[in-house]
Amino acid sequence: MKALRGKTLLNNPAQNKSTAFTREERAHYGLQGLLPYGVTDIHIQQQRVLANLRSKSSDIEKYIYLNGLLERNQRLFYRTLINHIAEIMPLVYTPTVGEACVKLSHIFRKPQGFYLTPEDRGHMLARLENWPETDVRIVVVTDGERILGLGDLGANGMGIPIGKISLYVACAGIAPSQCMPIMLDVGTNNQQLREDPLYLGYPHPRLTGEDYLSLVDEFVEAVQQRFPSAAIQFEDFSSQNAFTLLDRYAGSGRCFNDDIQGTAAVTLAGIYASSRITQKSFADLKIMLLGTGSAATGVAELLVPAFKAAGLSEAEAYSRVSFIDRRGLVTATHALIKPRIRSFVKNLPAADFVTAIATIQPDVLIGATGTAGAFTEAVVREISRYQQHPVIIALSNPTSHTECTAEQAYQWSEGRAIFASGSPFAPVTLHGRTYHPAQGNNVYIYPGIGLGVMVSRARLVIEDMFLAAAKELANCVSVEEIERGSIYPDIVRVRDISHKIAVRVCQVAQQNNLTKMETDLFNNLEASVRELMYEPSY
Ligand SMILES: NC(=O)C1=CN([C@@H]2O[C@H](COP(=O)(O)OP(=O)(O)OC[C@H]3O[C@@H](n4cnc5c(N)ncnc54)[C@H](O)[C@@H]3O)[C@@H](O)[C@H]2O)C=CC1
Ligand SMILES: CC(=O)C(=O)O
Ligand SMILES: [Mg+2]
C-alpha cells in the first residue's frame, strides 16, 4: 500500500494523527508547514477534544462535533469515546442519535456509510465494490422504518447504523475498517420528509410486498458474496419486516436482528440480575410485557427457553409471560392475535392494564412501546401493591419516549422499584436517599455477539448465543451494583463484558458445530479474543 503524504494524509481519518505527528514524521511525510509547531500526544489531544465538547451548548452540537472528529481523526475519536464512554455514549447513541436522525438531512456534513436504493436493483453487488474496504466483518443495516421510538425516518435513519458501528468499535474492539453501516433506502412513508427540500433520501413511498422482499434478497446475497465473512445485523426495521427477514435469512446465513434478539438477551440479563436483589428464584417469576412488537415479542420468545432451562415445562414457561396491548391484557377473546404471541395468550377475562396487574401480580414489568408515559402512575402504584421490589424495565428510546422516567418509577413505588431504562437516567435523590437507575440497552449484547461471531466465523447466529450472552451479562453485575439496586453493570466495563460474551459465543458455536475454529485459537480463547480487539492508538 502506498504511504499517504501531505494533505492527503491529514485528510485520511484512519491515518491522520494531526498535531501528534512527530517532527520526524512531519519531515518524512511532507507535513512540514501543514501543521502548527506544537506536537501533542493523544492524551493532550483528548483533553482538547473534551474541552471543545463540553463547551458546546446543546447535545446535537456535541453530536455534530463528535461526528466531525470521527471524520478527521478516527483513532482520537475512538480513544476518547472508550476512555469517556459514560459521558460520550449518550451523545453518539441514544438519546442524542434520535434527535440527530430526525434532523439528519439538515445537519448533513459529509456522507458516511453506504446507501442503496431501489434504483440499485440488479446492481447491488457492483455497488458494494465501491466500498473501499474488502475485509468487512460486521454490517449493520436499517431501512429506517422504525428508528428508536421515532417511527419512519427514511434515510435519516442512517444515524442508527453509524451509531451502532461506533459502539461495535468502542465496546467490542472490532476495527473500524471491518465495520460497514448501510442504509437500505427503500423510500419513506413520512410525507413531511418527502416534502422537505433538504431531505436526502429516496423521496418515494416505501417499497412493499414482493418488490421489497426481492430487493432485500438481492442485498443479502450481494453482501454475502462481496463480504463472505460478514455478519449482518438488522436494525430498526418495522416489526413485521423485522420478523419476516429474520425468518427468511437467519436459518441459512450469519445474521441476527438486534431489536428482537439483542434486546431479548439484555432484558433477560436484567431479569436474572434482579433475582439477586429481590431474592426470588428466576423460575418463580411472572413477567408482563407492554407492547407486542419486535422487542417485546423477542423478549417473550427468549424467556421460554430460559424458563425451560430453569426447570419449567413449556406450558409453564408460556404461562409466566403475559402481554398487554393497547386494549389491555392479551386474552383468548382478543380479535386478531399476532401469530407469534398466540402461545402466550391468557385464558382470563378481558382486563385493562391496571386490572391485569391486579389479576396476574407480575414481578417484572417491561415496556417496549415507544410511547412516552405508557407506564402511568396507576400502573406503577398497582404493581408496587403486590411486590416489595417491582422490577420495572422501560426499554423505549430515546428518553422522550420512555414508558416512565426513573424519578417517576421511584416516586410512584415509594422508592421500592428496581428500575432500568433503554436510555440512561442520572441517579435520583428522593427523601434523602439516592437511587441508581441502570441502562437496559442492547449495547451490552450486540457488540459481544458480533465479536464472537467474527472470531469464530460461526455459520449461523443462534438462540443459544443470546441465552449465553444474557447469563454472562447478568454475572457481570457486581455485588456492589446489586447492593445499590442496579441490574446492569456500569457501562465503563462494557469492553470486558463484550469480551466475555464473545468468548461464550465462540464456545456455543463450537458446541453446535457451527465453526471450524483452529484448535490453538479455541484452546486459548480468552487471550485470543482479547488479542483480536482493536485498541485505538498511534
Ligand atoms: N432498550 C433497548 O435496548 C431497546 C429498546 N427498544 C425500544 O423499544 C421500543 C419498541 O420497539 P419495537 O418493539 O421494535 O417497536 P414495534 O413498533 O415493533 O412495537 C411497539 C409496540 O408497542 C405497541 N404500543 C405502542 N404504544 C402502546 C401503548 N400505549 N400501550 C400498549 N402498546 C403500545 C405497538 O402497538 C407495538 O406493538 C422503541 O422505542 C425502541 O427504541 C427497541 C430495541 C432495543
Ligand atoms: C436500542 C435499540 O436498538 C433501539 O432502541 O432500537
Ligand atoms: Mg434498534
Side-chain angles (χ1 to χ4, degrees):
M1 192 174 62
K2 194 163 166 265
L4 302 181
R5 290 178 58 77
K7 269 284 179 206
T8 316
L9 175 56
L10 293 179
N11 287 335
N12 182 300
Q15 294 186 38
N16 181 28
K17 301 203 285 189
S18 185
T19 57
F21 281 115
T22 62
R23 304 241 175 269
E24 294 73 31
E25 287 168 333
R26 292 174 188 210
H28 189 73
Y29 294 116
L31 297 170
Q32 286 160 319
L34 298 178
L35 290 161
Y37 178 82
V39 176
T40 49
D41 67 15
I42 200 164
H43 306 291
I44 301 284
Q45 286 182 321
Q46 221 183 112
Q47 284 179 27
R48 192 178 296 111
V49 167
L50 290 172
N52 264 292
L53 184 67
R54 289 167 186 165
S55 74
K56 306 284 172 209
S57 55
S58 67
D59 287 347
I60 193 73
E61 286 301 326
K62 292 180 183 184
Y63 178 92
I64 293 169
Y65 170 74
L66 288 165
N67 219 253
L69 176 62
L70 176 60
E71 287 305 304
R72 285 193 303 279
N73 185 337
Q74 214 170 65
R75 286 174 289 183
L76 180 56
F77 170 84
Y78 282 116
R79 190 70 267 157
T80 315
L81 175 55
I82 291 169
N83 289 2
H84 299 272
I85 190 87
E87 176 178 353
I88 301 181
M89 196 172 90
L91 299 169
V92 298
Y93 190 53
T94 185
T96 310
V97 72
E99 185 182 355
C101 286
V102 169
K103 297 176 177 163
L104 209 68
S105 293
H106 287 242
I107 62 172
F108 183 86
R109 303 305 202 254
K110 198 178 171 189
Q112 291 171 290
F114 202 77
Y115 291 85
L116 289 162
T117 75
E119 292 185 3
D120 298 307
R121 190 188 289 279
H123 306 281
M124 293 245 181
L125 185 55
R127 298 289 185 268
L128 290 177
E129 300 285 338
N130 291 343
W131 187 248
E133 305 294 341
T134 51
D135 187 26
V136 171
R137 302 298 188 88
I138 299 286
V139 165
V140 178
V141 61
T142 188
D143 71 359
E145 190 164 6
R146 191 241 79 199
I147 293 299
L148 308 180
L150 301 166
D152 182 354
L153 295 184
N156 283 2
M158 182 52 128
I160 290 296
I162 289 170
K164 292 272 175 185
I165 291 286
S166 291
L167 298 183
Y168 257 121
V169 178
C171 303
I174 298 185
S177 61
Q178 296 186 309
C179 299
M180 184 171 178
I182 301 186
M183 162 51 62
L184 195 55
D185 180 4
V186 297
T188 176
N189 294 340
N190 184 332
Q191 200 173 343
Q192 210 184 327
L193 280 185
R194 291 203 309 256
E195 288 171 358
D196 179 349
L198 296 191
Y199 180 59
L200 287 164
Y202 180 70
H204 301 282
R206 282 186 174 275
L207 228 54
T208 56
E210 201 37 48
D211 286 346
Y212 174 81
L213 284 179
S214 58
L215 195 78
V216 186
D217 281 349
E218 185 188 341
F219 163 75
V220 169
E221 278 165 33
V223 170
Q224 288 169 340
Q225 205 168 326
R226 170 86 173 111
F227 307 116
S229 299
I232 303 176
Q233 171 168 330
F234 289 91
E235 191 71 51
D236 289 13
F237 284 72
S238 73
S239 187
Q240 196 179 334
N241 288 334
F243 283 113
T244 302
L245 301 181
L246 189 63
D247 290 345
R248 203 167 172 97
Y249 308 119
S252 57
R254 196 181 285 120
C255 67
F256 68 100
N257 182 294
D258 185 37
D259 300 297
I260 299 170
Q261 298 169 287
T263 313
V266 78
T267 307
L268 177 59
I271 297 171
Y272 281 142
S274 75
S275 291
R276 287 163 63 195
I277 304 176
T278 58
Q279 299 293 315
K280 291 180 194 167
S281 158
F282 170 75
D284 292 336
L285 298 182
K286 284 176 282 176
I287 323 279
M288 184 174 275
L289 294 148
L290 183 66
T292 57
S294 327
T297 308
V299 173
E301 288 183 345
L302 197 66
L303 277 165
V304 172
F307 275 131
K308 284 166 75 178
L312 269 61
S313 69
E314 184 151 301
E316 281 170 334
Y318 281 110
S319 77
R320 295 303 175 80
V321 182
S322 52
F323 277 96
I324 307 285
D325 69 11
R326 289 177 194 276
R327 293 162 295 180
L329 182 66
V330 180
T331 63
T333 56
H334 251 54
L336 294 174
I337 296 164
K338 292 183 188 173
R340 286 189 103 108
I341 65 170
R342 213 164 269 151
S343 308
F344 298 95
V345 161
K346 298 289 164 280
N347 276 318
L348 288 168
D352 63 22
F353 192 4
V354 172
T355 310
I357 291 174
T359 311
I360 293 177
Q361 302 185 9
D363 304 274
V364 180
L365 193 55
I366 295 162
T369 60
T371 300
F375 289 166
T376 59
E377 180 169 353
V379 162
V380 175
R381 286 198 183 282
E382 191 67 12
I383 189 171
S384 305
R385 283 180 62 189
Y386 306 101
Q387 305 301 340
Q388 176 60 22
H389 289 297
V391 179
I392 299 180
I393 307 181
L395 287 172
S396 293
N397 298 312
T399 317
S400 54
H401 288 243
T402 187
E403 282 80 9
C404 71
T405 65
E407 191 171 346
Q408 288 170 334
Y410 295 126
Q411 208 153 37
W412 295 338
S413 65
E414 284 139 13
R416 289 184 284 123
I418 295 163
F419 180 77
S421 52
S423 300
F425 278 102
V428 174
T429 302
L430 267 185
H431 312 301
R433 190 173 156 202
T434 300
Y435 299 87
H436 297 271
Q439 185 176 4
N441 192 293
N442 50 31
V443 67
Y444 281 110
I445 299 291
Y446 78 79
I449 294 280
L451 179 63
V453 169
M454 184 181 101
V455 173
S456 64
R457 292 178 193 250
R459 280 185 291 110
L460 303 173
V461 187
I462 60 170
E463 183 180 82
D464 276 0
M465 294 176 181
F466 293 94
L467 284 170
K471 274 245 155 73
E472 199 59 47
L473 175 57
N475 290 340
C476 287
V477 188
S478 69
V479 173
E480 295 74 35
E481 283 158 348
I482 291 294
E483 277 169 359
R484 68 177 204 184
S486 287
I487 54 172
Y488 294 102
D490 194 322
I491 195 70
V492 299
R493 301 208 303 283
V494 68
R495 266 175 95 89
D496 273 341
I497 294 163
S498 299
H499 170 261
K500 288 196 165 84
I501 290 175
V503 168
R504 290 292 296 121
V505 168
C506 291
Q507 291 166 339
V508 172
Q510 180 86 350
Q511 286 152 10
N512 289 274
N513 294 321
L514 294 172
T515 168
K516 293 187 186 125
M517 246 183 304
E518 292 153 23
T519 320
D520 254 15
L521 196 151
F522 191 72
N523 289 344
N524 301 294
L525 207 45
E526 290 191 15
S528 307
V529 174
R530 179 82 64 196
E531 262 167 40
L532 288 167
M533 289 172 74
Y534 161 86
E535 275 285 352
S537 64
Y538 294 145

